[in-house]
């Protein structure tokens, strides 16, 4: 591939609801551009972008893939993003690397949840967007209906530029409203035959073209005047104005075709090359100089100091870590030392690579506006800013959604615990929407992700890449035990067998204290009924007994123990004997002090569109949730609730199905609360049964 920079580069992200046809369309593009000699099929698992086994098995894009190709003397860096909600983390990364988005919509299914979500992300980043209505060849395709719903649901500025000729099995051509010509497909779609607009479509063309001109004219007075005066509009003026309107997001053009048949794809590629903005058309990128904390900017010029951001890490046990970067300014050559401005660290670049699915091409330099990968690097993470050491800049971090779908991860073969943490450690580096934490109460390794498929894929990657077989199960709840009453009891440990005996004896008072106060130990021994040096032994014995409560073996909390009396033996008393006495006293006291089970409660905030409010609240109630309040915000309702943690480990997946994926939530541990007796009974019986089986 020849060298490209600035004006000749297009960084374009592919977005859609899962299954709209991104992978298939990119196959056609690569074929048209001569990168491949045949088009892979999703069904056959041989596409360029979805090549990881986890993707092939599910016929689903999981990772983002960077697929560069040349077209019309331009280099297009296509970034195929996953459409499925569990992998949204990859979309967040891609949004940093692109200058425009191509939103694919299926001509049969129309606007879906993933379409709306992608649109929202692209809007938040103020990115220009082109829409491609795909699958016009499929049975049930309806271009006009889909167009209308796009305009109604997403934006009035969504403006058709292409109209399909025929549909379903009769789909055979496209009318371009800019050139006012018809294009019929030939030779597997690679070639097109230009003809005049067929008579029966002239009326529709005139109507759509008028709407198009009106929208474009909004950004160009020159065009507006010509249009109002009824003059013929110069193609060059139209082109210039349209480009500007797209860049300013005044117009979101709509094209159409079939990725599968490769119909309309070359026209789409032409459009990308001609009309979508290059890195140089975009505003400078802002950041902060980490040395001075003063805001700074970088213009996408080769002469500017080097700056880039890592938007994706891929980790592989053989090749090591691969960092995919978007260069914002300057030039990076493969033999340079790399300065990581985020971490103020330096390292040598192993290799500089141009990526194409799993194929890699080694390159010697990469310039402003382009995308490349760094191989054999270590101290670099997703979101890190790389820059000229003498002129450092740190760009804003990439914000990832908080994972809250939880599972306990265990090795299938004993002794693999260490391997799990190692493998997870590496995989966490490539996916910031996965978190890992050990629950010290339940002694389980907990992983959090965005959904069930997300974690299943994680487990498969652990096996394939790191050779560890794991099981994922619903985590144990870290219940606790406490008491509601107070009592005074003694514990006496006495052994007299032959030689030296054992003697420890204490009186304690056990009382409840406020929730989350933990444990208090009070020493009220007077007159030496227990010698000073044995009092810590009593406390130790109590603490040990508290590890396993008498109800169901969960740790005891929120209690005060006062030791106020006891006795000793000048020869037989020992640390050990007083420890045992303390433990005995505590266990006995617990029996008499009305012991109860506590469960963790989380604060939950659910953002949900009005239509689904009733269902979401009903569901929260059925999870023993308490609704604390509701507030409207930006057209959605925010429901605040407290729910037992035991009921929400898999809430993200359930909420998605209740609301068709239109809601989101955050969850934080709040406090412990007494479990209703009926439910506690079940937990106690289960714990006792498990204990008996040990
Ligand atoms: P992605 O999830 O967006 O990457 O979508 P895929 O490219 O995996 O396509 C999903 C399914 O739709 C596959 O079975 C494709 O063969 C099919 N498909 C993709 N594009 C078209 C198209 O233009 N026409 C028809 N009829 N089917 C298509």
């Amino acid at each position: 591939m020849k060298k490209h920079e600035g004006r000749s580069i297009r960084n374009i992200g592919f977005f859609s609801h899962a299954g709209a046809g991104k992978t298939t369309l990119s196959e056609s593009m690569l074929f048209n551009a001569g990168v491949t000699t045949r088009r892979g099929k999703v069904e056959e698992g041989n596409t360029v972008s979805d090549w990881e086994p986890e993707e092939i098995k599910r016929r689903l894009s999981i990772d983002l893939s960077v697929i560069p190709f040349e077209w019309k003397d331009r280099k297009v860096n296509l970034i195929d993003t996953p459409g499925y909600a569990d992998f949204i983390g990859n979309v967040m990364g891609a949004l940093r690397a692109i200058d425009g988005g191509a939103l694919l919509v299926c001509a049969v299914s129309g606007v879906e949840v993933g379409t709306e979500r992608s649109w929202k992300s692209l809007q938040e980043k103020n990115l220009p967007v082109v829409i491609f209505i795909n699958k016009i060849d499929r049975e049930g395709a309806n271009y006009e209906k889909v167009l209308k719903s796009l305009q109604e649901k997403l934006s009035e500025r969504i403006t058709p530029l292409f109209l399909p000729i025929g549909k379903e099995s009769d789909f055979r051509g496209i009318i371009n409203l800019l050139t006012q010509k018809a294009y019929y497909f030939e030779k597997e779609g690679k070639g097109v035959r230009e003809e005049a607009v067929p008579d029966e479509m002239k009326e529709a063309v005139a109507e759509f073209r008028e709407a198009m001109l009106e929208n474009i004219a909004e950004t160009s007075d020159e065009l507006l005047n010509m249009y109002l005066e009824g003059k013929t509009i110069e193609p060059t003026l139209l082109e210039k104005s349209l480009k500007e309107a797209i860049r300013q997001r005044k117009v979101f053009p709509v094209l159409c075709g079939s990725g599968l048949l490769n119909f309309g794809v070359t026209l789409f590629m032409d459009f990308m090359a001609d009309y979508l903005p290059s890195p140089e058309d975009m505003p400078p990128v802002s950041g902060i100089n980490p040395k001075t904390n003063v805001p700074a900017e970088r213009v996408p010029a080769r002469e500017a100091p080097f700056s880039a951001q890592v938007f994706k890490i891929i980790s592989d046990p053989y090749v090591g870590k691969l960092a995919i970067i978007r260069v914002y300014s300057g030039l990076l050559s493969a033999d340079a030392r790399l300065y990581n401005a985020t971490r103020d660290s330096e390292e040598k670049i192993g290799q500089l690579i141009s990526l194409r699915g799993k194929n890699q091409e080694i390159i010697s330099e990469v310039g402003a506006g382009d995308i490349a990968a760094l191989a054999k690097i270590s101290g670099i993470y997703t979101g890190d800013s790389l820059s000229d050491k003498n002129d450092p800049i740190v760009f804003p971090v990439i914000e990832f959604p908080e994972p809250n779908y939880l599972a306990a991860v265990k090795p299938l073969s004993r002794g693999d615990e260490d391997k799990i943490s190692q493998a997870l450690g590496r995989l966490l580096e490539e996916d910031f929407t996965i978190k890992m934490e050990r629950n010290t109460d339940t002694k389980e390794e907990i992983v959090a992700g965005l959904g069930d498929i997300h974690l299943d894929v994680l487990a498969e990657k652990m096996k394939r890449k790191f050779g560890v077989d794991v099981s994922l199960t619903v985590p144990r709840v870290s219940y606790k035990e406490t008491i509601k009453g107070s009592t005074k009891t003694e514990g006496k440990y006495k052994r007299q067998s032959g030689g030296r005996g054992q003697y420890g004896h204490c009186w304690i008072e056990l009382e409840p204290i406020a929730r989350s106060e933990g444990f208090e130990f009070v020493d009220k021994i007077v007159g030496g009924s227990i010698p000073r040096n044995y009092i810590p032994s009593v406390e130790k014995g109590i603490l040990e007994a508290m590890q396993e409560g008498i109800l169901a073996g969960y740790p005891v909390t929120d209690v005060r123990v006062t030791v106020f009396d006891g006795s000793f033996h000048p020869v037989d008393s020992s640390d050990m004997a007083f420890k045992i006495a303390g433990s005995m006293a505590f266990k006995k006291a617990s029996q008499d002090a009305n012991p109860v089970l506590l469960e963790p409660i989380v604060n939950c905030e659910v953002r949900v569109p009005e239509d689904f409010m009733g269902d979401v609240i009903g569901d929260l109630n059925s999870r023993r949730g308490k609704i604390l309040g509701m507030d409207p915000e930006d057209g959605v309702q925010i429901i605040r609730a407290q729910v037992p943690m035991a009921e929400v480990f898999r809430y993200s997946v359930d909420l998605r199905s209740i609301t068709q994926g239109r809601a989101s939530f955050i969850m934080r541990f709040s406090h412990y609360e007494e479990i209703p007796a009926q439910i506690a009974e079940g937990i106690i019986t289960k714990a006792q049964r498990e204990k008996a089986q040990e």
Side-chain angles (χ1 to χ4, degrees), residues 51-52 63-66 90 310-317 319-324 355 357-358 360 373-377 380 382 426-427 429-431 461 464-466:
W51 55 275
E52 298 222 49
D63 264 324
L64 59 81
S65 27
V66 181
N90 280 321
V310 179
F311 65 93
K312 170 85 189 160
I313 292 280
I314 300 173
S315 98
D316 187 291
V319 230
K321 221 158 91 169
L322 213 59
I324 313 185
L355 280 174
K358 65 177 157 184
Q360 310 176 342
L374 309 170
K376 303 200 179 95
I377 36 95
I380 291 177
T382 307
R426 295 284 297 275
L427 290 171
E429 282 187 3
E430 64 174 55
D431 187 347
K461 280 194 181 170
R464 175 170 64 90
K465 294 190 168 186
F466 300 93

Side-chain angles (χ1 to χ4, degrees), residues 199-220:
D199 285 344
E200 69 275 16
M201 286 190 73
K202 281 198 169 127
E203 203 176 313
V205 168
E207 199 182 303
F208 276 110
R209 185 169 151 95
E210 196 163 307
M212 174 190 84
L213 289 175
E214 269 175 29
N215 280 357
I216 302 174
E218 267 188 52
T219 43
S220 159

Side-chain angles (χ1 to χ4, degrees), residues 231-273:
K231 287 189 187 151
T232 320
I233 291 166
E234 285 283 315
T236 46
L237 174 65
L238 184 58
E239 184 180 326
K240 196 176 113 212
S241 317
L242 175 58
K243 259 172 139 166
E244 192 49 29
I246 292 174
R247 198 181 68 84
Q248 292 184 22
R249 300 164 17 91
K250 293 287 193 312
V251 164
F252 301 107
V254 181
L255 316 183
C256 63
S258 158
L260 187 68
L261 298 181
N262 199 9
F263 282 3
V265 181
T266 54
L267 300 176
F268 183 16
M269 292 164 81
D270 290 347
F271 187 84
M272 282 184 178

Side-chain angles (χ1 to χ4, degrees), residues 613-634:
M613 269 242 305
D615 293 341
V616 169
I617 290 178
D619 174 72
L620 284 170
N621 284 329
S622 76
R623 293 173 195 264
R624 302 191 280 126
K626 272 187 229 123
I627 309 295
L628 303 180
M630 275 163 273
D631 304 294
E633 192 187 294
D634 304 337

Side-chain angles (χ1 to χ4, degrees), residues 16 18-24 42-43 61 134-135 137-138 258-260:
S16 81
K22 295 182 300 291
T23 308
T24 309
V42 178
E43 278 71 16
S61 308
N134 193 27
K135 305 196 189 180
D137 64 302
R138 225 182 106 185
S258 158
L260 187 68

Side-chain angles (χ1 to χ4, degrees), residues 474 477 479 599-601 623-624 643-650:
V474 180
V477 183
Y479 295 115
E599 64 177 339
I601 305 287
R623 293 173 195 264
R624 302 191 280 126
V643 200
M645 191 182 271
E647 309 283 340
V648 290
F649 286 129
R650 320 228 127 166

Side-chain angles (χ1 to χ4, degrees), residues 159-409:
T159 311
L161 300 189
F162 286 8
L163 301 179
I165 308 175
K167 64 175 180 178
E168 301 174 340
S169 59
D170 186 38
F171 177 45
R172 57 190 188 281
I174 278 169
I175 289 168
N176 181 338
L177 297 174
L178 294 168
T179 57
Q180 301 184 79
K181 288 270 165 27
Y183 300 87
Y184 293 92
F185 312 121
E186 311 184 305
K187 285 191 292 186
E188 267 213 358
K190 249 185 159 175
V192 284
R193 180 167 37 89
E194 186 183 303
E195 282 186 26
V197 170
D199 285 344
E200 69 275 16
M201 286 190 73
K202 281 198 169 127
E203 203 176 313
V205 168
E207 199 182 303
F208 276 110
R209 185 169 151 95
E210 196 163 307
M212 174 190 84
L213 289 175
E214 269 175 29
N215 280 357
I216 302 174
E218 267 188 52
T219 43
S220 159
D221 289 342
E222 206 182 343
L223 188 82
L224 183 66
N225 289 336
M226 283 181 141
Y227 171 67
L228 291 178
E229 287 162 18
K231 287 189 187 151
T232 320
I233 291 166
E234 285 283 315
T236 46
L237 174 65
L238 184 58
E239 184 180 326
K240 196 176 113 212
S241 317
L242 175 58
K243 259 172 139 166
E244 192 49 29
I246 292 174
R247 198 181 68 84
Q248 292 184 22
R249 300 164 17 91
K250 293 287 193 312
V251 164
F252 301 107
V254 181
L255 316 183
C256 63
S258 158
L260 187 68
L261 298 181
N262 199 9
F263 282 3
V265 181
T266 54
L267 300 176
F268 183 16
M269 292 164 81
D270 290 347
F271 187 84
M272 282 184 178
D274 292 337
Y275 289 95
L276 290 190
S278 78
E280 288 186 16
D281 297 323
M282 300 303 282
V285 194
S286 333
I288 280 199
N289 180 327
K291 296 253 155 67
T292 59
N293 274 333
V294 173
E297 270 188 352
R298 285 292 176 275
V299 287
R302 205 180 164 88
E303 304 72 43
F306 167 70
S307 74
Q309 191 167 29
V310 179
F311 65 93
K312 170 85 189 160
I313 292 280
I314 300 173
S315 98
D316 187 291
Y318 306 109
V319 230
K321 221 158 91 169
L322 213 59
I324 313 185
I325 60 167
R326 157 75 195 252
V327 181
Y328 290 128
S329 61
L331 190 76
L332 179 69
S333 85
D335 50 20
R337 278 189 77 74
L338 193 66
Y339 177 66
N340 185 337
T342 304
R343 295 170 201 277
D344 191 23
S345 62
E346 246 182 300
E347 68 180 280
K348 207 173 141 343
I349 305 169
Q351 259 168 2
L352 197 58
I353 287 171
S354 166
L355 280 174
R356 187 178 304 148
K358 65 177 157 184
N359 301 319
Q360 310 176 342
E361 184 189 333
I362 295 178
I363 49 177
S364 60
E365 60 172 39
V366 55
D370 211 348
I371 287 171
L374 309 170
K376 303 200 179 95
I377 36 95
S378 55
I380 291 177
Y381 300 87
T382 307
D384 281 2
S385 302
L386 312 173
S387 72
D388 189 324
K389 193 177 178 187
N390 300 320
D391 208 342
I393 183 164
V394 172
F395 300 109
V397 295
I398 303 174
E399 279 170 24
F400 292 103
E402 191 68 22
N404 39 31
Y405 183 89
L406 306 181
V409 49

